[in-house]
């Protein structure tokens, strides 16, 4: 199923976000603060993922997308990259059966061609096992970049049009959106970044056009149930206008508004 963008339609607002996207930042600093190797922070980060998935289920969040490894993370020391790949394999071995038992669908987005065959096969098997689950869709972005996503979508769209002998005079959202990595999910309602940094880092740059942002200084291994609840509570207090004024929003909800705004 393909979802329309908030730039084209006005989505219904609920106090609990339907889709949460998270940049899990701070594993290395968490370990360094404790005079531990960086890998210890990454291992502890897996526990934070487990807790976050559980809490999303409790809150009724339908989609959770986690930025695990960016296309720029290959610049890190080779030893750390190797450890991260091994942790990914171990996590798949240890967690996917549990996800399946709890009705959770598992997806991976990104350019998987740089991963070894064993990891690619494990990802494919995990996705196949859980593809019919509906309780929650957990997406892991691995070797993912927002610009890569847009470019691969354009290339796929162009190739399909050529194979169908259909000429494309210009690209439109309707043409491009079905080829984006996350065409199967609504665009994120809430973006969370831990670790104190306040940037996107090339994550879902197309999909976050109208997403609410939440930045926290908490390092990812310290991000737990109460942390996610605080972020969701903050989201629930936001006024999501999607280009309208506050008065227009209030009228659409059938309530009066004493304050107006012309900001998008």
């Amino acid at each position: 199923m393909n979802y329309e963008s908030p730039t084209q339609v006005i989505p219904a607002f609920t106090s609990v976000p339907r889709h949460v996207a998270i940049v899990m930042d701070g594993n290395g600093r968490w370990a360094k603060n404790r005079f531990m190797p960086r890998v210890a922070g990454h291992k502890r980060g897996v526990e934070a993922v487990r807790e976050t998935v559980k809490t999303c289920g409790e809150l009724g969040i339908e989609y959770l997308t986690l930025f695990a490894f960016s296309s720029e993370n290959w610049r890190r020391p080779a030893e750390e990259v190797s450890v991260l790949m091994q942790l990914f394999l171990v996590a798949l071995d240890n967690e996917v059966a549990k996800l399946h038992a709890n009705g959770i669908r598992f997806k991976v987005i990104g350019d998987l061609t740089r991963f070894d065959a064993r990891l690619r096969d494990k990802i494919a098997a995990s996705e196949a096992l859980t593809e019919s689950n509906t309780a929650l869709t957990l997406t892991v972005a691995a070797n993912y970049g927002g610009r890569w996503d847009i470019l691969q979508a354009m290339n796929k769209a162009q190739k399909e049009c050529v194979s169908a002998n259909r000429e494309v005079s210009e690209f439109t959202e309707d043409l491009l959106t079905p080829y984006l990595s996350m065409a199967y999910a609504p665009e994120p309602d809430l973006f969370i970044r831990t670790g104190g940094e306040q940037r996107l880092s090339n994550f879902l740059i197309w999909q976050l056009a109208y997403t609410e942002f939440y930045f926290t200084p908490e390092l990812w291994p310290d991000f737990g149930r109460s942390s996610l609840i605080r972020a969701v509570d903050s989201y629930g207090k936001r006024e999501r206008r999607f280009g309208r004024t506050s008065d227009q929003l209030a009228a659409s909800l059938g309530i009066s508004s004493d304050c107006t705004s012309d900001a998008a």
Side-chain angles (χ1 to χ4, degrees):
M1 179 178 183
N2 294 320
Y3 292 91
E4 293 182 288
S5 168
T7 60
Q8 297 179 302
V9 298
I10 299 174
F13 175 76
T14 58
S15 59
V16 174
R18 188 179 185 189
H19 185 176
V20 175
I22 305 178
V23 171
M24 307 177 291
D25 199 5
N27 290 335
R29 281 174 284 162
W30 183 90
K32 184 177 180 180
N33 291 343
R34 289 160 177 77
F35 304 101
M36 301 166 69
R38 289 177 61 88
V39 64
H42 294 305
K43 288 181 177 179
R44 179 61 183 82
V46 173
E47 296 180 29
V49 169
R50 191 181 298 117
E51 183 72 10
T52 299
V53 170
K54 179 180 178 182
T55 305
C56 282
E58 294 173 356
L59 296 177
I61 294 167
E62 299 176 45
Y63 297 86
L64 173 64
T65 302
L66 304 174
F67 203 9
F69 191 85
S70 76
S71 51
E72 290 75 46
N73 283 155
W74 294 103
R75 301 167 182 169
R76 293 189 175 188
E79 182 179 358
E80 181 174 348
V81 171
S82 178
V83 167
L84 287 170
M85 295 301 107
Q86 289 301 313
L87 280 176
F88 196 5
L89 269 173
V90 170
L92 291 173
D93 285 334
N94 294 340
E95 304 297 332
V96 171
K98 300 174 189 175
L99 295 175
H100 183 50
N102 286 283
I104 297 172
R105 183 187 184 193
F106 178 77
K107 296 279 290 179
V108 177
I109 58 171
D111 181 3
L112 305 187
T113 59
R114 289 195 64 176
F115 297 149
D116 64 34
R118 183 186 174 195
L119 181 53
R120 292 198 305 271
D121 290 346
K122 182 69 68 174
I123 290 170
S126 300
E127 291 184 328
L129 175 67
T130 63
E131 65 180 349
S132 298
N133 295 339
T134 59
L136 169 73
T137 296
L138 170 63
T139 300
V140 173
N143 194 26
Y144 175 89
R147 292 184 177 181
W148 165 85
D149 196 2
I150 295 169
L151 290 171
Q152 67 83 27
M154 292 180 68
N155 288 329
K156 285 183 178 179
Q158 187 176 46
K159 288 178 181 178
E160 183 162 312
C161 288
V162 169
S163 64
N165 293 319
R166 182 159 55 96
E167 185 176 344
V168 177
S169 59
E170 64 179 20
F171 279 95
T172 64
E173 283 198 40
D174 287 338
L175 177 63
L176 196 65
T177 298
Y179 299 96
L180 292 167
S181 293
M182 296 209 69
Y184 58 86
E187 294 181 8
D189 301 295
L190 175 63
F191 166 86
I192 299 171
R193 181 165 187 151
T194 62
E197 304 290 353
Q198 299 186 18
R199 59 176 178 269
L200 297 182
S201 294
N202 199 19
F203 181 47
L204 298 177
I205 54 178
W206 176 283
Q207 294 86 347
L208 296 178
Y210 261 103
T211 301
E212 298 293 326
F213 289 6
Y214 180 89
F215 298 105
T216 173
E218 280 186 286
L219 303 178
W220 176 247
D222 293 325
F223 192 87
R225 182 177 185 276
S226 61
S227 306
L228 180 57
I229 290 174
R230 280 195 297 272
V232 170
D233 285 345
S234 173
Y235 168 84
K237 298 172 184 175
R238 311 280 181 95
E239 186 180 70
R240 304 195 76 194
R241 296 186 297 274
F242 300 104
R244 299 168 295 173
T245 66
S246 294
D247 284 343
Q248 286 178 301
L249 174 61
S252 72
L253 297 175
I255 59 177
S256 61
S257 176
D258 296 328
C259 59
T260 60
S261 174
D262 294 322

